[in-house]
Amino acid sequence: MTSDTSSPDVISDEQLEQEGDVAADFLEGLLDIADIGGDLAMDVRNGRAYVSIESDGDDSLKLLADPETVSALQELTRLAVQNRTDRFSRLILDVSGSRDARRRELESLVERANERLDDGASQASLPAMSSYERKLIHDIAADRGLVSESYGEGPQRHTVLRRA
């Protein structure tokens, strides 16, 4: 066993780049098997590896851009990374800008919740969503001066918004 003096929760940029490389290799193989074209890009930010698959002009990538498909593919990719690195991965996958599109949807969701609060509701509950989406909700809510808290367990975990 090797000794590591850093916190187990702190992952170096080098390790995150390794995660991105492993993820890219896995995804490239998967795209080849499925005969789907796409260009891969990697980035490290906010303590996470980000991998995106962008269209290379082939419309077949649209098959993977559905949010539920992206989420499932992200989980498979995380498992592949974990298998190769022996570390839990918090990698984020984006397919054809699906993350940006989802962020816009979440911004609209927070805006509608804000309108309910403007109409006198004491709080507004949002649907259950992934931890990444809840993190985005918390960020969006904070930008709008709202307080957000998550409640529930597992797949039922959801966010409630209220005024500060």
Tab-separated table of all heavy atoms in Angstrom, residues 9-70:
chain	number	residue	atom	x	y	z
A	9	ASP	N	-10.229	13.209	-0.101
A	9	ASP	CA	-11.215	13.909	-0.907
A	9	ASP	C	-10.576	14.854	-1.918
A	9	ASP	O	-11.238	15.349	-2.813
A	9	ASP	CB	-12.171	14.701	-0.016
A	9	ASP	CG	-13.016	13.796	0.859
A	9	ASP	OD1	-13.438	12.731	0.375
A	9	ASP	OD2	-13.245	14.152	2.019
A	10	VAL	N	-9.298	15.155	-1.749
A	10	VAL	CA	-8.608	16.072	-2.645
A	10	VAL	C	-7.891	15.270	-3.723
A	10	VAL	O	-7.055	14.428	-3.432
A	10	VAL	CB	-7.608	16.956	-1.868
A	10	VAL	CG1	-6.859	17.861	-2.833
A	10	VAL	CG2	-8.315	17.769	-0.810
A	11	ILE	N	-8.257	15.571	-4.950
A	11	ILE	CA	-7.645	14.881	-6.082
A	11	ILE	C	-6.867	15.921	-6.873
A	11	ILE	O	-7.381	17.002	-7.173
A	11	ILE	CB	-8.725	14.208	-6.965
A	11	ILE	CG1	-9.460	13.144	-6.165
A	11	ILE	CG2	-8.101	13.605	-8.196
A	11	ILE	CD1	-10.611	12.515	-6.891
A	12	SER	N	-5.637	15.608	-7.206
A	12	SER	CA	-4.785	16.554	-7.927
A	12	SER	C	-5.275	16.726	-9.364
A	12	SER	O	-5.971	15.866	-9.918
A	12	SER	CB	-3.340	16.065	-7.928
A	12	SER	OG	-3.195	14.943	-8.786
A	13	ASP	N	-4.869	17.840	-9.962
A	13	ASP	CA	-5.202	18.073	-11.366
A	13	ASP	C	-4.632	16.967	-12.245
A	13	ASP	O	-5.258	16.561	-13.225
A	13	ASP	CB	-4.692	19.435	-11.824
A	13	ASP	CG	-5.562	20.586	-11.345
A	13	ASP	OD1	-6.634	20.337	-10.744
A	13	ASP	OD2	-5.166	21.750	-11.565
A	14	GLU	N	-3.466	16.471	-11.883
A	14	GLU	CA	-2.848	15.381	-12.647
A	14	GLU	C	-3.734	14.128	-12.599
A	14	GLU	O	-3.935	13.455	-13.621
A	14	GLU	CB	-1.460	15.069	-12.094
A	14	GLU	CG	-0.711	14.008	-12.875
A	14	GLU	CD	0.686	13.763	-12.315
A	14	GLU	OE1	1.392	14.744	-12.023
A	14	GLU	OE2	1.041	12.575	-12.186
A	15	GLN	N	-4.264	13.815	-11.422
A	15	GLN	CA	-5.149	12.657	-11.297
A	15	GLN	C	-6.450	12.889	-12.074
A	15	GLN	O	-6.976	11.965	-12.698
A	15	GLN	CB	-5.459	12.378	-9.825
A	15	GLN	CG	-4.275	11.835	-9.056
A	15	GLN	CD	-4.547	11.786	-7.565
A	15	GLN	OE1	-5.006	12.753	-6.962
A	15	GLN	NE2	-4.256	10.632	-6.965
A	16	LEU	N	-6.956	14.123	-12.054
A	16	LEU	CA	-8.171	14.436	-12.799
A	16	LEU	C	-7.920	14.340	-14.305
A	16	LEU	O	-8.784	13.864	-15.048
A	16	LEU	CB	-8.692	15.819	-12.420
A	16	LEU	CG	-9.246	15.928	-10.999
A	16	LEU	CD1	-9.518	17.380	-10.645
A	16	LEU	CD2	-10.495	15.080	-10.831
A	17	GLU	N	-6.742	14.760	-14.737
A	17	GLU	CA	-6.388	14.614	-16.153
A	17	GLU	C	-6.309	13.132	-16.526
A	17	GLU	O	-6.734	12.746	-17.623
A	17	GLU	CB	-5.072	15.318	-16.447
A	17	GLU	CG	-5.193	16.829	-16.426
A	17	GLU	CD	-3.862	17.547	-16.511
A	17	GLU	OE1	-2.815	16.880	-16.698
A	17	GLU	OE2	-3.867	18.785	-16.392
A	18	GLN	N	-5.791	12.318	-15.607
A	18	GLN	CA	-5.747	10.874	-15.845
A	18	GLN	C	-7.173	10.330	-15.985
A	18	GLN	O	-7.451	9.526	-16.870
A	18	GLN	CB	-5.020	10.158	-14.704
A	18	GLN	CG	-4.998	8.655	-14.876
A	18	GLN	CD	-4.561	7.906	-13.625
A	18	GLN	OE1	-4.668	8.410	-12.509
A	18	GLN	NE2	-4.103	6.679	-13.822
A	19	GLU	N	-8.088	10.777	-15.113
A	19	GLU	CA	-9.489	10.359	-15.222
A	19	GLU	C	-10.043	10.723	-16.596
A	19	GLU	O	-10.728	9.922	-17.228
A	19	GLU	CB	-10.345	11.031	-14.142
A	19	GLU	CG	-10.245	10.436	-12.789
A	19	GLU	CD	-11.277	11.006	-11.824
A	19	GLU	OE1	-12.276	11.618	-12.264
A	19	GLU	OE2	-11.085	10.820	-10.616
A	20	GLY	N	-9.766	11.951	-17.032
A	20	GLY	CA	-10.248	12.396	-18.339
A	20	GLY	C	-9.700	11.543	-19.470
A	20	GLY	O	-10.427	11.188	-20.393
A	21	ASP	N	-8.418	11.191	-19.379
A	21	ASP	CA	-7.807	10.340	-20.410
A	21	ASP	C	-8.439	8.952	-20.435
A	21	ASP	O	-8.741	8.413	-21.503
A	21	ASP	CB	-6.300	10.206	-20.180
A	21	ASP	CG	-5.537	11.481	-20.478
A	21	ASP	OD1	-6.070	12.344	-21.217
A	21	ASP	OD2	-4.396	11.619	-19.975
A	22	VAL	N	-8.641	8.369	-19.253
A	22	VAL	CA	-9.264	7.043	-19.168
A	22	VAL	C	-10.686	7.112	-19.717
A	22	VAL	O	-11.118	6.242	-20.493
A	22	VAL	CB	-9.243	6.517	-17.715
A	22	VAL	CG1	-10.079	5.257	-17.583
A	22	VAL	CG2	-7.811	6.266	-17.251
A	23	ALA	N	-11.411	8.150	-19.334
A	23	ALA	CA	-12.787	8.314	-19.807
A	23	ALA	C	-12.817	8.472	-21.322
A	23	ALA	O	-13.653	7.855	-21.996
A	23	ALA	CB	-13.437	9.519	-19.125
A	24	ALA	N	-11.921	9.274	-21.849
A	24	ALA	CA	-11.879	9.489	-23.299
A	24	ALA	C	-11.590	8.187	-24.040
A	24	ALA	O	-12.219	7.895	-25.062
A	24	ALA	CB	-10.845	10.558	-23.645
A	25	ASP	N	-10.657	7.391	-23.526
A	25	ASP	CA	-10.353	6.088	-24.143
A	25	ASP	C	-11.585	5.192	-24.143
A	25	ASP	O	-11.911	4.551	-25.144
A	25	ASP	CB	-9.206	5.389	-23.415
A	25	ASP	CG	-7.859	6.045	-23.656
A	25	ASP	OD1	-7.746	6.867	-24.596
A	25	ASP	OD2	-6.918	5.747	-22.886
A	26	PHE	N	-12.261	5.142	-22.986
A	26	PHE	CA	-13.465	4.312	-22.869
A	26	PHE	C	-14.535	4.780	-23.855
A	26	PHE	O	-15.119	3.984	-24.591
A	26	PHE	CB	-13.995	4.362	-21.432
A	26	PHE	CG	-15.330	3.701	-21.261
A	26	PHE	CD1	-15.433	2.320	-21.216
A	26	PHE	CD2	-16.486	4.461	-21.145
A	26	PHE	CE1	-16.672	1.702	-21.057
A	26	PHE	CE2	-17.726	3.856	-20.992
A	26	PHE	CZ	-17.816	2.474	-20.942
A	27	LEU	N	-14.785	6.089	-23.871
A	27	LEU	CA	-15.835	6.631	-24.732
A	27	LEU	C	-15.495	6.470	-26.213
A	27	LEU	O	-16.376	6.171	-27.023
A	27	LEU	CB	-16.077	8.099	-24.397
A	27	LEU	CG	-16.740	8.338	-23.043
A	27	LEU	CD1	-16.612	9.798	-22.634
A	27	LEU	CD2	-18.192	7.893	-23.067
A	28	GLU	N	-14.234	6.649	-26.553
A	28	GLU	CA	-13.814	6.471	-27.946
A	28	GLU	C	-14.081	5.037	-28.411
A	28	GLU	O	-14.590	4.807	-29.508
A	28	GLU	CB	-12.336	6.814	-28.087
A	28	GLU	CG	-11.868	6.878	-29.515
A	28	GLU	CD	-10.443	7.385	-29.620
A	28	GLU	OE1	-10.072	8.313	-28.880
A	28	GLU	OE2	-9.700	6.830	-30.458
A	29	GLY	N	-13.765	4.078	-27.549
A	29	GLY	CA	-14.037	2.682	-27.877
A	29	GLY	C	-15.519	2.414	-28.030
A	29	GLY	O	-15.947	1.709	-28.957
A	30	LEU	N	-16.306	2.996	-27.141
A	30	LEU	CA	-17.755	2.825	-27.201
A	30	LEU	C	-18.336	3.441	-28.474
A	30	LEU	O	-19.174	2.821	-29.150
A	30	LEU	CB	-18.384	3.456	-25.958
A	30	LEU	CG	-19.807	3.080	-25.631
A	30	LEU	CD1	-19.936	1.584	-25.376
A	30	LEU	CD2	-20.262	3.860	-24.404
A	31	LEU	N	-17.880	4.627	-28.814
A	31	LEU	CA	-18.358	5.279	-30.039
A	31	LEU	C	-17.965	4.476	-31.275
A	31	LEU	O	-18.756	4.353	-32.215
A	31	LEU	CB	-17.816	6.698	-30.139
A	31	LEU	CG	-18.352	7.710	-29.125
A	31	LEU	CD1	-17.599	9.033	-29.248
A	31	LEU	CD2	-19.839	7.923	-29.278
A	32	ASP	N	-16.751	3.914	-31.265
A	32	ASP	CA	-16.313	3.085	-32.394
A	32	ASP	C	-17.196	1.850	-32.540
A	32	ASP	O	-17.607	1.511	-33.654
A	32	ASP	CB	-14.854	2.659	-32.217
A	32	ASP	CG	-13.871	3.782	-32.491
A	32	ASP	OD1	-14.277	4.815	-33.064
A	32	ASP	OD2	-12.688	3.630	-32.117
A	33	ILE	N	-17.482	1.183	-31.424
A	33	ILE	CA	-18.330	-0.012	-31.459
A	33	ILE	C	-19.709	0.321	-32.023
A	33	ILE	O	-20.267	-0.422	-32.824
A	33	ILE	CB	-18.454	-0.644	-30.057
A	33	ILE	CG1	-17.118	-1.253	-29.640
A	33	ILE	CG2	-19.576	-1.675	-30.008
A	33	ILE	CD1	-17.052	-1.652	-28.176
A	34	ALA	N	-20.260	1.469	-31.588
A	34	ALA	CA	-21.602	1.867	-32.018
A	34	ALA	C	-21.600	2.568	-33.376
A	34	ALA	O	-22.666	2.918	-33.880
A	34	ALA	CB	-22.219	2.783	-30.963
A	35	ASP	N	-20.404	2.765	-33.962
A	35	ASP	CA	-20.261	3.457	-35.229
A	35	ASP	C	-20.908	4.845	-35.189
A	35	ASP	O	-21.658	5.238	-36.074
A	35	ASP	CB	-20.827	2.627	-36.383
A	35	ASP	CG	-20.329	3.117	-37.731
A	35	ASP	OD1	-19.214	3.689	-37.788
A	35	ASP	OD2	-21.070	2.964	-38.727
A	36	ILE	N	-20.609	5.573	-34.086
A	36	ILE	CA	-21.107	6.930	-33.894
A	36	ILE	C	-19.903	7.859	-33.938
A	36	ILE	O	-18.915	7.652	-33.232
A	36	ILE	CB	-21.852	7.068	-32.554
A	36	ILE	CG1	-23.111	6.195	-32.556
A	36	ILE	CG2	-22.203	8.524	-32.270
A	36	ILE	CD1	-23.841	6.157	-31.234
A	37	GLY	N	-19.994	8.893	-34.753
A	37	GLY	CA	-18.899	9.848	-34.870
A	37	GLY	C	-18.965	10.897	-33.781
A	37	GLY	O	-20.035	11.230	-33.276
A	38	GLY	N	-17.823	11.424	-33.396
A	38	GLY	CA	-17.773	12.491	-32.409
A	38	GLY	C	-16.344	12.838	-32.062
A	38	GLY	O	-15.447	11.999	-32.172
A	39	ASP	N	-16.141	14.092	-31.677
A	39	ASP	CA	-14.832	14.562	-31.240
A	39	ASP	C	-14.854	14.712	-29.726
A	39	ASP	O	-15.809	15.254	-29.161
A	39	ASP	CB	-14.505	15.910	-31.886
A	39	ASP	CG	-14.390	15.810	-33.396
A	39	ASP	OD1	-13.808	14.816	-33.876
A	39	ASP	OD2	-14.890	16.718	-34.091
A	40	LEU	N	-13.796	14.246	-29.066
A	40	LEU	CA	-13.713	14.301	-27.607
A	40	LEU	C	-12.854	15.473	-27.167
A	40	LEU	O	-11.819	15.760	-27.781
A	40	LEU	CB	-13.114	13.000	-27.071
A	40	LEU	CG	-14.026	11.795	-27.232
A	40	LEU	CD1	-13.228	10.513	-27.240
A	40	LEU	CD2	-15.046	11.770	-26.121
A	41	ALA	N	-13.291	16.132	-26.098
A	41	ALA	CA	-12.521	17.214	-25.484
A	41	ALA	C	-12.527	16.986	-23.984
A	41	ALA	O	-13.512	16.487	-23.425
A	41	ALA	CB	-13.128	18.566	-25.826
A	42	MET	N	-11.401	17.327	-23.334
A	42	MET	CA	-11.270	17.137	-21.890
A	42	MET	C	-10.886	18.448	-21.237
A	42	MET	O	-10.194	19.273	-21.838
A	42	MET	CB	-10.223	16.085	-21.579
A	42	MET	CG	-10.594	14.706	-22.074
A	42	MET	SD	-9.235	13.553	-21.874
A	42	MET	CE	-8.132	14.115	-23.137
A	43	ASP	N	-11.319	18.594	-19.983
A	43	ASP	CA	-11.004	19.783	-19.211
A	43	ASP	C	-11.017	19.400	-17.740
A	43	ASP	O	-11.671	18.427	-17.346
A	43	ASP	CB	-12.050	20.871	-19.485
A	43	ASP	CG	-11.669	22.226	-18.937
A	43	ASP	OD1	-10.476	22.447	-18.620
A	43	ASP	OD2	-12.562	23.080	-18.827
A	44	VAL	N	-10.302	20.150	-16.927
A	44	VAL	CA	-10.322	19.982	-15.474
A	44	VAL	C	-10.712	21.317	-14.882
A	44	VAL	O	-10.086	22.340	-15.172
A	44	VAL	CB	-8.938	19.537	-14.939
A	44	VAL	CG1	-8.912	19.576	-13.425
A	44	VAL	CG2	-8.593	18.150	-15.450
A	45	ARG	N	-11.792	21.326	-14.089
A	45	ARG	CA	-12.203	22.550	-13.411
A	45	ARG	C	-13.060	22.196	-12.206
A	45	ARG	O	-13.750	21.180	-12.193
A	45	ARG	CB	-12.934	23.504	-14.345
A	45	ARG	CG	-14.157	22.944	-14.998
A	45	ARG	CD	-14.794	23.970	-15.960
A	45	ARG	NE	-16.072	23.492	-16.425
A	45	ARG	CZ	-16.299	22.941	-17.601
A	45	ARG	NH1	-15.323	22.811	-18.461
A	45	ARG	NH2	-17.494	22.521	-17.927
A	46	ASN	N	-12.968	23.048	-11.200
A	46	ASN	CA	-13.749	22.882	-9.970
A	46	ASN	C	-13.597	21.492	-9.353
A	46	ASN	O	-14.550	20.919	-8.838
A	46	ASN	CB	-15.237	23.176	-10.219
A	46	ASN	CG	-15.474	24.567	-10.747
A	46	ASN	OD1	-14.796	25.507	-10.349
A	46	ASN	ND2	-16.412	24.708	-11.663
A	47	GLY	N	-12.394	20.939	-9.425
A	47	GLY	CA	-12.132	19.647	-8.801
A	47	GLY	C	-12.778	18.465	-9.494
A	47	GLY	O	-12.977	17.410	-8.879
A	48	ARG	N	-13.096	18.616	-10.766
A	48	ARG	CA	-13.702	17.529	-11.535
A	48	ARG	C	-13.087	17.461	-12.929
A	48	ARG	O	-12.676	18.470	-13.482
A	48	ARG	CB	-15.206	17.736	-11.699
A	48	ARG	CG	-16.002	17.544	-10.440
A	48	ARG	CD	-17.475	17.676	-10.751
A	48	ARG	NE	-18.261	17.676	-9.540
A	48	ARG	CZ	-19.330	16.937	-9.353
A	48	ARG	NH1	-19.752	16.134	-10.299
A	48	ARG	NH2	-19.999	16.992	-8.234
A	49	ALA	N	-13.110	16.260	-13.461
A	49	ALA	CA	-12.751	16.068	-14.868
A	49	ALA	C	-14.025	16.221	-15.691
A	49	ALA	O	-15.074	15.681	-15.332
A	49	ALA	CB	-12.154	14.681	-15.077
A	50	TYR	N	-13.933	16.988	-16.754
A	50	TYR	CA	-15.051	17.180	-17.676
A	50	TYR	C	-14.652	16.611	-19.023
A	50	TYR	O	-13.588	16.938	-19.550
A	50	TYR	CB	-15.369	18.669	-17.849
A	50	TYR	CG	-16.101	19.278	-16.679
A	50	TYR	CD1	-15.429	19.601	-15.510
A	50	TYR	CD2	-17.467	19.526	-16.740
A	50	TYR	CE1	-16.081	20.160	-14.432
A	50	TYR	CE2	-18.137	20.079	-15.669
A	50	TYR	CZ	-17.438	20.400	-14.513
A	50	TYR	OH	-18.097	20.939	-13.454
A	51	VAL	N	-15.508	15.778	-19.579
A	51	VAL	CA	-15.278	15.216	-20.902
A	51	VAL	C	-16.509	15.533	-21.741
A	51	VAL	O	-17.646	15.330	-21.291
A	51	VAL	CB	-15.047	13.686	-20.847
A	51	VAL	CG1	-14.874	13.120	-22.241
A	51	VAL	CG2	-13.850	13.353	-19.972
A	52	SER	N	-16.276	16.054	-22.922
A	52	SER	CA	-17.403	16.336	-23.798
A	52	SER	C	-17.199	15.641	-25.137
A	52	SER	O	-16.074	15.481	-25.608
A	52	SER	CB	-17.590	17.843	-23.996
A	52	SER	OG	-16.460	18.417	-24.574
A	53	ILE	N	-18.323	15.225	-25.673
A	53	ILE	CA	-18.337	14.628	-27.005
A	53	ILE	C	-19.099	15.608	-27.886
A	53	ILE	O	-20.267	15.914	-27.617
A	53	ILE	CB	-19.051	13.257	-27.016
A	53	ILE	CG1	-18.459	12.314	-25.977
A	53	ILE	CG2	-18.978	12.653	-28.416
A	53	ILE	CD1	-19.262	11.023	-25.798
A	54	GLU	N	-18.415	16.108	-28.885
A	54	GLU	CA	-19.016	17.083	-29.801
A	54	GLU	C	-19.195	16.446	-31.167
A	54	GLU	O	-18.428	15.574	-31.551
A	54	GLU	CB	-18.137	18.329	-29.908
A	54	GLU	CG	-17.945	19.061	-28.591
A	54	GLU	CD	-19.239	19.577	-27.984
A	54	GLU	OE1	-20.165	19.942	-28.744
A	54	GLU	OE2	-19.343	19.604	-26.751
A	55	SER	N	-20.177	16.929	-31.871
A	55	SER	CA	-20.469	16.406	-33.202
A	55	SER	C	-19.333	16.717	-34.160
A	55	SER	O	-18.763	17.796	-34.145
A	55	SER	CB	-21.762	17.024	-33.726
A	55	SER	OG	-21.993	16.599	-35.048
A	56	ASP	N	-19.014	15.753	-34.980
A	56	ASP	CA	-18.034	15.970	-36.047
A	56	ASP	C	-18.765	16.088	-37.390
A	56	ASP	O	-18.203	15.816	-38.433
A	56	ASP	CB	-16.988	14.855	-36.068
A	56	ASP	CG	-17.580	13.490	-36.379
A	56	ASP	OD1	-18.824	13.381	-36.547
A	56	ASP	OD2	-16.816	12.515	-36.451
A	57	GLY	N	-20.028	16.500	-37.321
A	57	GLY	CA	-20.843	16.645	-38.521
A	57	GLY	C	-21.765	15.467	-38.756
A	57	GLY	O	-22.632	15.500	-39.610
A	58	ASP	N	-21.606	14.414	-37.969
A	58	ASP	CA	-22.411	13.206	-38.090
A	58	ASP	C	-23.610	13.333	-37.140
A	58	ASP	O	-23.438	13.519	-35.948
A	58	ASP	CB	-21.543	12.002	-37.699
A	58	ASP	CG	-22.263	10.671	-37.853
A	58	ASP	OD1	-23.473	10.670	-38.145
A	58	ASP	OD2	-21.608	9.640	-37.657
A	59	ASP	N	-24.823	13.250	-37.658
A	59	ASP	CA	-26.027	13.388	-36.840
A	59	ASP	C	-26.257	12.230	-35.872
A	59	ASP	O	-27.111	12.311	-35.003
A	59	ASP	CB	-27.267	13.520	-37.737
A	59	ASP	CG	-27.384	14.901	-38.348
A	59	ASP	OD1	-26.699	15.836	-37.862
A	59	ASP	OD2	-28.163	15.054	-39.309
A	60	SER	N	-25.500	11.146	-36.010
A	60	SER	CA	-25.729	9.984	-35.151
A	60	SER	C	-25.471	10.284	-33.676
A	60	SER	O	-25.994	9.599	-32.805
A	60	SER	CB	-24.861	8.808	-35.609
A	60	SER	OG	-23.491	9.131	-35.523
A	61	LEU	N	-24.701	11.324	-33.370
A	61	LEU	CA	-24.424	11.682	-31.983
A	61	LEU	C	-25.687	12.161	-31.260
A	61	LEU	O	-25.776	12.056	-30.037
A	61	LEU	CB	-23.331	12.749	-31.923
A	61	LEU	CG	-22.720	13.027	-30.569
A	61	LEU	CD1	-22.127	11.753	-29.966
A	61	LEU	CD2	-21.645	14.085	-30.684
A	62	LYS	N	-26.659	12.636	-32.013
A	62	LYS	CA	-27.918	13.087	-31.410
A	62	LYS	C	-28.593	11.971	-30.622
A	62	LYS	O	-29.326	12.226	-29.674
A	62	LYS	CB	-28.871	13.619	-32.485
A	62	LYS	CG	-28.425	14.931	-33.070
A	62	LYS	CD	-29.400	15.404	-34.128
A	62	LYS	CE	-28.917	16.699	-34.752
A	62	LYS	NZ	-29.817	17.168	-35.805
A	63	LEU	N	-28.325	10.728	-31.005
A	63	LEU	CA	-28.903	9.588	-30.291
A	63	LEU	C	-28.475	9.556	-28.827
A	63	LEU	O	-29.197	9.064	-27.969
A	63	LEU	CB	-28.492	8.275	-30.959
A	63	LEU	CG	-28.933	8.054	-32.393
A	63	LEU	CD1	-28.235	6.822	-32.974
A	63	LEU	CD2	-30.435	7.920	-32.472
A	64	LEU	N	-27.284	10.075	-28.552
A	64	LEU	CA	-26.747	10.035	-27.188
A	64	LEU	C	-27.017	11.302	-26.397
A	64	LEU	O	-26.719	11.346	-25.210
A	64	LEU	CB	-25.229	9.806	-27.231
A	64	LEU	CG	-24.738	8.521	-27.862
A	64	LEU	CD1	-23.221	8.474	-27.843
A	64	LEU	CD2	-25.316	7.316	-27.141
A	65	ALA	N	-27.558	12.344	-27.010
A	65	ALA	CA	-27.680	13.648	-26.360
A	65	ALA	C	-28.889	13.771	-25.434
A	65	ALA	O	-28.998	14.753	-24.714
A	65	ALA	CB	-27.706	14.754	-27.402
A	66	ASP	N	-29.780	12.796	-25.414
A	66	ASP	CA	-30.914	12.816	-24.495
A	66	ASP	C	-30.383	12.844	-23.054
A	66	ASP	O	-29.466	12.087	-22.728
A	66	ASP	CB	-31.778	11.566	-24.718
A	66	ASP	CG	-32.868	11.439	-23.683
A	66	ASP	OD1	-33.838	12.200	-23.777
A	66	ASP	OD2	-32.720	10.591	-22.773
A	67	PRO	N	-30.928	13.705	-22.179
A	67	PRO	CA	-30.402	13.828	-20.810
A	67	PRO	C	-30.310	12.506	-20.040
A	67	PRO	O	-29.329	12.274	-19.323
A	67	PRO	CB	-31.375	14.789	-20.136
A	67	PRO	CG	-31.924	15.606	-21.249
A	67	PRO	CD	-31.996	14.686	-22.428
A	68	GLU	N	-31.304	11.652	-20.179
A	68	GLU	CA	-31.250	10.369	-19.473
A	68	GLU	C	-30.143	9.475	-20.035
A	68	GLU	O	-29.478	8.758	-19.287
A	68	GLU	CB	-32.605	9.670	-19.523
A	68	GLU	CG	-33.646	10.350	-18.647
A	68	GLU	CD	-34.960	9.614	-18.618
A	68	GLU	OE1	-34.990	8.393	-18.893
A	68	GLU	OE2	-35.970	10.269	-18.316
A	69	THR	N	-29.947	9.533	-21.334
A	69	THR	CA	-28.881	8.749	-21.959
A	69	THR	C	-27.516	9.281	-21.533
A	69	THR	O	-26.614	8.502	-21.214
A	69	THR	CB	-29.021	8.773	-23.492
A	69	THR	OG1	-30.334	8.318	-23.843
A	69	THR	CG2	-27.988	7.898	-24.165
A	70	VAL	N	-27.379	10.604	-21.494
A	70	VAL	CA	-26.115	11.205	-21.049
A	70	VAL	C	-25.818	10.787	-19.608
A	70	VAL	O	-24.689	10.421	-19.277
A	70	VAL	CB	-26.147	12.748	-21.173
A	70	VAL	CG1	-24.908	13.371	-20.542
A	70	VAL	CG2	-26.258	13.166	-22.637
